[in-house]
RNA sequence: GGAGAGGUGGCAGAGUGGUUGAAUGCGUUAGUCUCGAAAACUAAUUUAGCCGAAAGGCUAACGAGGGUUCGAAUCCCUCCCUCUCCGCCA
């Protein structure tokens, strides 16, 4: 959330930014108008309060009974006016709040301006897409042949796009979790296992819209008869973890690595990636999250990106890094880098060879959200010897989204005989070098 | 889930209707003293909003939200949380 006063002072820049970000429903003008109303009302209310305070101090000193009665009557009428006005203030504040939620964060000046994923800029490539001397199978076929995933049971028990992991897929998940968490702990991140549910206000603070009245576009599952949602990422719970806290600047940056399940309705993506593990309603994810100062945030962002790269280099998976364009940033991100790993069987089939062309598919994403999330969550920091507090900066990044990593591993590490080699870094944790069936 | 106790500033802990944003102690910071330090002494020490160039002023906040009252940390109601005991459970 941006501050109303910031919007007022930077009106044109905010409007231009909303346009770049395709935030067509952003209520920029309305927010400023409502903030003006709020200021006026608050000022008036305070003037009344001031007079009421004076009177209540005069009353016990007043000896004359008639005059005393007059003061009491005046105090009473002031209270009534104040109550009315406070009601108005509340209404205006609620409207202002709603308007502010529609306005996205500002954008890093170097982020590419553009409307579609095609405008994302490739800033780095690592590794070569693997060339196969046989026709590679996609991860669904591999998983089926090796009895690694049961989609049918997932559909029967829960619904479409749910699944059971089985056999070595389970070991792979646990290995990926171990590998990444141990790496992050070694880098000074505090490991956390978070709740898989969170309150609506926390979701909103992070930038989700759990109150979206339209179930066709709502991104998260809500739990009936409560104000809880299933989290779409541990970013929600990790960010919420320090809400309403005032941090000591000397302790920043605070770095956490969180493990959670993620639940996504995938509204707005109907029919896309219907097969397999690529787009599912539930998956396990290891997430990095950092709280820091404004000055530290860009370096922190690059640090998180470097760790994501290190993880995928460790897994031996070719990837490229995208600098996400304005239209694709979403609400809270000031700048966002995505890692897309090479998935040999993603995308179309080549008509002439009959082989899949392969595509890069998103496996991680890291965002610098500046103070956009922390302002709503009321997370601030204080420096020694300085008066007042500043709003903290928050950053997040995927260490590993397990299902997508499994897709990439199965497709990239498959062999002609149908077996799959376990990436070396995972072997200790998975307890195997190869996945095969007799 | 049931019974009881409780939630006040960085911490401890007073305060039960009227200049109490809040005693006192500890802590922290600055100053005095000292060659330096300790001790002692002096002073400062919450956050947010609004106004102001600034100095500063005003308003709000004693778990949260309502209510009573001219006036609430203090009285009433609802909710939340913590602790102890019991129940249930992994």
């Amino acid at each position: 959330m941006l501050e109303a006063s910031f919007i007022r002072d930077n009106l044109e820049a905010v409007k231009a930014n909303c346009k770049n970000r395709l935030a067509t429903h952003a209520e920029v003008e309305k927010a400023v108008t409502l903030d003006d109303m709020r200021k006026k009302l608050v000022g008036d209310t305070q003037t009344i309060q001031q007079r009421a305070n004076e009177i209540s101090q005069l009353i016990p000193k007043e000896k004359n009974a008639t005059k005393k009665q007059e003061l009491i009557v005046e105090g009473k009428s002031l209270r009534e006016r104040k109550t009315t006005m406070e009601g108005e203030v509340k209404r205006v504040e609620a409207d202002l709040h709603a308007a502010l939620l529609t306005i996205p964060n500002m954008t890093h000046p170097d982020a590419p301006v553009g409307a579609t994923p095609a405008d994302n800029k490739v800033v780095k490539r690592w590794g070569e897409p693997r060339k196969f001397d046989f026709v590679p199978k996609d991860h669904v076929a591999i998983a089926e042949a090796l009895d690694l995933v049961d989609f049918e049971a997932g559909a029967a028990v829960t619904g479409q796009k749910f699944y059971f992991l089985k056999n070595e897929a389970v070991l792979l998940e646990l290995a990926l979790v171990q590998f990444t968490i141990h790496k992050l702990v070694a880098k000074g991140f505090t490991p956390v296992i978070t709740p898989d549910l969170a309150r609506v206000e926390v979701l909103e603070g992070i930038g989700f819209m759990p109150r979206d009245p339209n179930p066709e576009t709502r991104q998260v599952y809500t739990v009936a008869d409560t104000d809880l949602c299933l989290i779409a990422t541990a970013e929600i719970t990790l960010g919420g973890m320090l809400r309403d806290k005032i941090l000591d600047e000397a302790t920043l940056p605070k770095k956490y690595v969180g493990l959670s399940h993620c639940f996504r309705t995938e509204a707005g993506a109907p029919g896309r990636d219907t097969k397999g593990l690529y787009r599912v309603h539930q998956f396990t994810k290891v997430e990095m999250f950092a709280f820091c100062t404004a000055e530290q945030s860009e370096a922190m962002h690059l640090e998180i990106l470097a760790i994501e790269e290190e993880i995928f280099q460790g897994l031996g998976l070719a990837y490229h890094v995208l600098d996400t364009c304005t239209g694709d940033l979403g609400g809270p991100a000031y700048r966002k880098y995505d890692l897309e790993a090479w998935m040999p069987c993603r995308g179309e089939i080549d008509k002439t060879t009959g082989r899949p062309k392969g595509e890069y598919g998103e496996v991680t994403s890291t965002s610098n959200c500046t103070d956009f999330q922390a302002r709503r969550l009321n997370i601030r920091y204080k420096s020694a010897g300085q008066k007042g507090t500043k709003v903290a900066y928050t950053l997040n990044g995927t260490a590993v989204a397990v299902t997508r990593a499994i897709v990439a591993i199965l497709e990239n590490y498959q062999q002609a005989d149908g077996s799959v080699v376990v990436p070396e870094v995972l072997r200790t944790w998975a307890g195997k070098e190869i996945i095969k069936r007799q």
Side-chain angles (χ1 to χ4, degrees):
Chain A
M1 187 175 66
L2 297 179
E3 224 163 346
S5 60
F6 174 87
I7 298 170
R8 184 202 326 279
D9 296 342
N10 301 276
L11 193 57
E12 291 316 311
V14 170
K15 282 188 190 165
N17 182 58
C18 288
K19 201 174 166 196
N20 282 342
R21 288 208 178 212
L22 314 180
T24 47
H25 300 291
E27 299 176 320
V28 180
E29 298 276 4
K30 191 174 166 192
V32 174
T33 312
L34 285 167
D35 190 48
D36 288 337
M37 285 170 68
R38 185 190 62 88
K39 271 191 180 174
K40 172 95 172 63
L41 281 168
V42 167
D44 293 351
T45 311
Q46 286 187 359
T47 310
I48 293 171
Q49 181 63 251
Q50 197 174 335
R51 175 64 186 151
N53 285 348
E54 279 167 25
I55 290 175
S56 63
Q57 279 174 25
L58 290 176
I59 288 172
K61 293 179 200 149
E62 184 57 66
K63 297 287 177 280
N64 181 311
T66 319
K67 282 187 182 159
K68 193 168 192 153
Q69 196 50 42
E70 280 171 14
L71 287 172
I72 288 174
V73 169
E74 185 183 354
K76 199 167 190 159
S77 86
L78 284 172
R79 193 191 74 225
E80 279 158 11
R81 277 175 61 197
K82 197 193 83 185
T83 306
T84 316
M85 290 182 69
E86 279 173 350
E88 285 177 50
V89 170
K90 269 193 183 169
R91 269 205 315 283
V92 170
E93 277 178 345
D95 291 349
L96 171 62
H97 181 242
L100 289 174
L101 284 183
T102 65
I103 302 171
N105 199 359
M106 297 304 282
T107 307
H108 192 288
D110 295 340
V113 176
T116 70
D119 297 311
N120 294 334
K121 195 164 111 197
V122 177
V123 293
K124 181 171 180 181
R125 287 178 200 280
W126 185 89
E128 279 300 314
R130 180 176 165 194
K131 301 272 185 287
F132 290 87
D133 49 15
F134 57 93
V135 179
K137 294 194 280 189
D138 70 24
H139 76 277
V140 179
I142 299 168
E144 198 166 293
L146 296 173
D147 194 20
L148 300 177
V149 188
D150 192 339
F151 291 104
E152 206 181 306
V157 170
T158 309
Q160 267 303 312
K161 293 193 188 182
F162 286 91
Y163 56 93
F164 286 70
L165 291 185
K166 290 170 71 183
N167 298 311
E168 286 87 348
V170 173
L171 302 181
L172 272 182
E173 163 153 341
L174 296 176
L176 284 163
V177 168
Q178 290 275 33
F179 167 58
T180 49
I181 290 184
H182 278 267
K183 184 181 276 294
L184 271 293
V185 167
K187 290 181 185 296
F189 284 68
T190 304
V192 178
I193 293 178
T194 86
D196 286 340
L197 286 86
R199 294 179 198 275
V200 164
E201 314 106 73
V202 175
L203 281 273
E204 280 183 350
I206 291 294
F208 285 81
M209 302 286 199
R211 288 187 224 256
D212 183 344
N214 182 358
E216 304 291 308
T217 54
R218 201 188 301 134
Q219 299 287 340
V220 294
Y221 292 98
T222 54
V223 180
D225 303 323
T226 70
D227 66 341
L228 295 175
C229 305
L230 292 175
I231 60 171
T233 158
E235 175 191 352
I236 293 165
T237 38
L238 290 169
M241 193 165 66
L242 296 186
R243 78 160 164 148
D244 296 320
K245 291 269 187 289
I246 297 175
L247 313 173
D248 179 351
E249 181 173 358
T251 67
L252 300 179
K254 276 183 179 293
K255 303 189 283 188
Y256 295 96
V257 52
L259 171 65
S260 83
H261 292 115
C262 304
F263 302 87
R264 301 187 177 179
T265 61
E266 294 298 344
R272 281 172 61 196
D273 311 306
T274 47
K275 260 178 69 179
L277 289 173
Y278 189 82
R279 190 177 299 279
V280 285
H281 289 313
Q282 176 183 338
F283 59 96
T284 303
K285 180 157 66 71
V286 177
E287 178 83 358
M288 295 175 266
F289 199 94
F291 301 89
C292 67
T293 67
E295 296 73 29
Q296 292 166 339
S297 76
E298 296 221 8
M300 192 68 236
H301 198 194
L302 294 176
E303 181 182 335
I304 291 173
L305 176 61
I307 292 168
E308 294 183 353
E309 290 194 51
E310 193 182 317
I311 288 167
F312 279 82
Q313 289 177 16
L315 292 171
L317 294 168
Y319 63 84
H320 63 198
V321 180
L322 299 177
D323 191 349
T324 306
C325 76
T326 50
D328 233 11
L329 280 173
Y334 173 72
R335 197 172 202 187
K336 170 148 81 178
Y337 297 108
D338 286 357
L339 242 72
E340 293 190 332
W342 182 252
M343 298 181 180
C345 301
R346 197 170 155 70
E348 313 172 341
I349 304 284
D350 189 317
K351 294 251 171 25
T352 54
T353 63
R355 290 185 173 206
K357 287 180 175 168
E359 254 180 17
Y360 284 97
E362 184 182 340
V363 283
T364 76
S365 177
T366 175
S367 300
N368 179 357
C369 297
T370 65
D371 53 0
F372 191 83
Q373 297 178 323
R375 184 168 296 115
R376 279 293 319 282
L377 293 168
N378 192 27
I379 303 169
R380 292 166 294 158
Y381 65 93
K382 210 175 155 64
S383 8
Q386 271 184 32
K387 241 184 128 57
T389 55
K390 294 179 196 155
V391 180
Y393 272 41
T394 58
L395 298 99
N396 64 79
T398 318
V400 69
V402 167
T403 39
R404 294 239 172 135
I406 288 177
V407 169
I409 289 168
L410 293 181
E411 294 190 0
N412 281 289
Y413 279 87
Q414 62 179 307
Q415 304 193 95
D417 66 358
S419 65
V420 173
V421 174
V422 176
E424 205 172 332
V425 293
L426 299 182
R427 288 180 194 166
T428 334
W429 311 109
K432 310 210 161 201
E433 291 185 17
I434 193 155
I435 306 169
K436 63 180 169 194
R437 291 287 170 270
Q438 299 312 323

